[in-house]
């Protein structure tokens, strides 16, 4: 895998006629520093103001030119450029862009040699290629030479490729592990094998545009705008408005024509229906991913599946022994359900027929949790059995993989993108695995016993509920808590929390005092404290397709909407 090129967005490689590529051989001094500007008098002969409603006029104009091009209005972009006197890019930047896209590597590196720092550009009035703050010129060279090396391998020119590896890439001392990986690609027997192993689509694919996109991050935006800059700014405006909306309950995409606001009366604050079909405590409620069904389980050894929104019982899944069913998990296509029971069995059910498809082998301790792989072809169980605490199974009840953990599992979760498998033990620890490679990645000591886990739709945020009445939002990539929610009551029992609402803007939790607590996810601001159940509210679930509906359950045997 090409680590230096990973995670790129849309390629920054579209050729634009109004970028003055035909003037690419002109000296850098032919254009002004901020992308390029030539004085154009206004219609009445007066000079135009330097600002537009408090914003730099040149910046606004260049954003408009870029956006018009992104939208496919190249002629309009050229007209705006000529009328305003502003160019999207100066000739040197255009030359660099053209050299990268054409594979003229020597020319591209020569232009890099002429690149100046922001301070030098300011002092000398240089309008050529300006380095972004903190950018590394040698890393840019490494990326260019890496592309050059791969293209030589693709052409089967191994002699020249080895020369580039030994005399151009290695001396840069940028990434020893990457150089080692690149050297292994020489053994590839075909172009297809090379592209597969390198995760690279070849010189005729998008790789050069991907390279340009990576390099553009190292060039000052004053001379080379970041990709789709206006669209990114508009997206940030929408996110800011959603983030400041306390009662956000509208799942309709925001309009740019008006400011966004939601009313408190549209937020789910009132109980609209109570379901009392369980004969004992209800420990968990979970909506299906498509929001058309709701499943619940508890001490009465049955799992009830309701149709949403009529809340008619579709099936009551019995045949569970022990002292109840503690955990349920929907497959991603909502066609199957796994139930985790205190009789030490996990069972796989067909939701369409209500029939049990498989009963896994009996564990030595209760089955505590389950999570589905994103392909719907396997699932992972967590148990309090030290010898089989974390195991993957196929749909026929056959063991696919055993992590052979030394810790027991109280709860587990799988990220929607299939990358993170997260488990907690009955103590105070979070264990994070790479589900794709099955490798253990890291462990977090939370200092307090944990009661539940939930991973957000972005596959990055983990909500961990703790027995001391706090919930931590943890960034799985940065490996650190980013927000803390307080006010609910913890204790000795399993209390579940989750993320939900419109744009998953809220954290919601049950509580040992029977209340449902809701916080704004980004700010941790308490939004509501609703009376739910008596004596405990054990679990909550927000409907993934209806931001104005969530379910709760408790020791009173009721499920409330």
């Amino acid at each position: 895998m090409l680590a230096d090129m990973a995670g790129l967005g849309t390629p920054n490689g579209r050729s634009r006629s109004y970028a003055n590529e035909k003037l690419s051989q002109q000296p850098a001094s032919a254009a002004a520093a901020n992308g390029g500007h030539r004085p154009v008098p206004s219609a009445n002969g007066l000079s135009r103001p330097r600002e537009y409603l408090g914003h730099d006029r040149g910046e606004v104009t260049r954003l408009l030119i870029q956006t018009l091009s992104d939208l496919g209005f190249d002629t309009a972009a050229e007209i705006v450029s000529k009328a305003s006197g502003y160019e999207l890019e100066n000739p040197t930047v255009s030359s660099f862009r053209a050299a990268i896209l054409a594979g003229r590597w020597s020319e591209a590196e020569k232009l890099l040699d002429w690149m100046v720092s922001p301070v030098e550009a300011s002092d000398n009035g240089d309008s050529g290629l300006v380095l972004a703050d903190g950018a590394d010129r040698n890393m840019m060279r490494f990326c260019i030479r890496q592309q050059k090396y791969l293209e030589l391998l693709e052409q089967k020119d191994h002699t020249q490729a080895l020369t580039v590896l030994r005399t151009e890439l290695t001396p840069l001392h940028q990434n020893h592990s990457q150089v080692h990986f690149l050297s292994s690609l020489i053994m590839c027997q075909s172009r297809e094998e090379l592209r597969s192993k390198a995760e690279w689509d070849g010189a005729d694919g998008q790789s050069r545009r991907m390279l340009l996109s990576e390099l553009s991050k190292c060039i000052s935006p004053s001379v080379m705008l970041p990709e789709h800059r206006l669209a990114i700014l508009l997206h940030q405006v929408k996110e800011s408005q959603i983030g400041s909306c306390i009662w956000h309950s509208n799942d309709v995409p925001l309009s740019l024509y008006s400011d966004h606001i939601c009313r408190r009366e549209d937020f789910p604050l009132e109980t609209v229906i109570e379901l009392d079909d369980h004969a004992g405590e209800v420990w968990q409620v979970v909506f299906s991913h498509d929001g058309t069904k709701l499943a619940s389980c508890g001490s009465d050894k049955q799992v009830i599946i309701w149709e949403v929104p009529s809340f008619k019982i579709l099936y009551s899944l019995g045949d569970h022994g022990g002292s109840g069913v503690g955990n349920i998990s929907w497959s991603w296509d909502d066609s199957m359900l796994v139930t985790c029971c205190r009789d030490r069995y996990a069972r796989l059910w067909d939701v369409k027929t209500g029939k049990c498809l498989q009963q896994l082998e009996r564990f030595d301790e209760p089955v505590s949790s389950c999570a589905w792989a994103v392909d719907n072809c396997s699932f992972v169980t967590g148990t309090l059995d030290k010898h089989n605490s974390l195991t993957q199974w196929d749909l026929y009840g056959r063991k696919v993989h055993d992590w052979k953990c030394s810790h027991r599992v109280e709860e587990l979760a799988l990220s929607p993108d299939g990358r993170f498998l997260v488990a907690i033990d009955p103590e105070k620890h979070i264990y994070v695995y790479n589900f794709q490679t099955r490798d253990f990645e890291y462990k977090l000591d939370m200092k307090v016993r944990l009661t539940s886990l939930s991973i957000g739709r972005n596959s990055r945020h983990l909500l961990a509920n703790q027995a001391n009445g706090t919930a931590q939002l943890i960034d799985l990539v940065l490996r650190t808590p980013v927000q803390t929610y307080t006010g609910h009551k913890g204790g000795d029992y399993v209390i579940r929390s989750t993320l939900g609402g419109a744009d998953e803007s809220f954290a919601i939790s049950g509580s040992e005092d029977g209340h449902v607590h809701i916080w704004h996810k980004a700010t941790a601001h308490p939004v509501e404290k609703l009376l739910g159940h008596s004596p405990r509210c054990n679990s909550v679930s927000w409907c993934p397709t209806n931001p104005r509906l969530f379910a709760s359950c408790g020791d009173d045997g009721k499920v409330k909407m």
Side-chain angles (χ1 to χ4, degrees), residues 363-364 383-391 399 402 404-405 407-408:
F363 297 90
D364 292 339
T383 77
L384 300 175
D385 182 349
K386 274 193 174 182
H387 302 292
N388 291 284
S389 62
L390 197 60
T391 313
K399 189 177 293 187
D402 186 343
K404 299 186 182 301
C405 305
H407 61 86
R408 299 187 297 167

Side-chain angles (χ1 to χ4, degrees), residues 136-168:
D136 186 341
R137 197 191 313 252
N138 277 339
M139 178 55 70
M140 297 177 73
R141 291 193 180 96
F142 186 91
C143 291
I144 292 173
R145 293 173 186 180
Q146 176 178 258
Q147 177 76 14
K148 178 181 177 182
Y149 169 78
L150 290 171
E151 291 192 15
L152 288 170
L153 288 182
E154 187 180 40
Q155 298 163 14
K156 299 288 186 179
D157 190 347
H158 291 94
T159 300
Q160 188 61 33
L162 272 173
T163 300
V164 171
L165 182 69
R166 292 170 177 170
T167 65
E168 296 184 28

Side-chain angles (χ1 to χ4, degrees), residues 430 444 446 460-462 464 472-476 480-482:
I430 296 176
L444 297 175
M446 302 303 291
R460 181 165 181 163
H461 287 148
L462 170 76
Q472 297 270 2
L473 188 68
I474 298 168
D475 189 314
L476 290 170
T480 183
V482 293

Side-chain angles (χ1 to χ4, degrees), residues 94-107:
S94 296
S95 296
F96 182 74
R97 175 190 295 276
I100 293 295
L101 294 180
R104 300 194 298 267
W105 310 124
S106 297
E107 180 183 341

Side-chain angles (χ1 to χ4, degrees), residues 188 223 265:
C188 293
V223 297
E265 50 264 37

Side-chain angles (χ1 to χ4, degrees), residues 426-428 447-451 465-468 491-494:
E427 304 301 326
K428 308 169 184 178
K447 310 299 182 183
V448 179
R449 186 177 69 86
L450 299 147
T451 66
N465 204 31
Q466 297 177 287
N468 63 347
D492 298 329
Y493 296 90
V494 174

Side-chain angles (χ1 to χ4, degrees), residues 35-96:
H37 178 248
R38 58 184 182 280
V40 176
S42 62
N44 57 13
L46 299 176
S47 61
R48 292 186 174 95
R50 296 181 58 85
E51 288 193 351
Y52 169 72
L53 300 179
H55 303 285
D56 183 277
R57 188 182 188 89
E59 292 183 0
V60 173
T61 305
R62 291 179 66 217
L63 287 175
L64 287 174
I65 295 171
Q66 184 193 54
T67 303
L68 286 170
S69 177
D70 287 346
L71 291 171
F73 304 134
D74 291 333
T75 301
E78 188 171 0
I79 291 173
V80 172
S81 178
K82 290 180 178 179
S84 66
Y86 288 100
E87 297 167 339
L88 185 62
E89 295 173 349
N90 66 51
T92 306
V93 174
S94 296
S95 296
F96 182 74

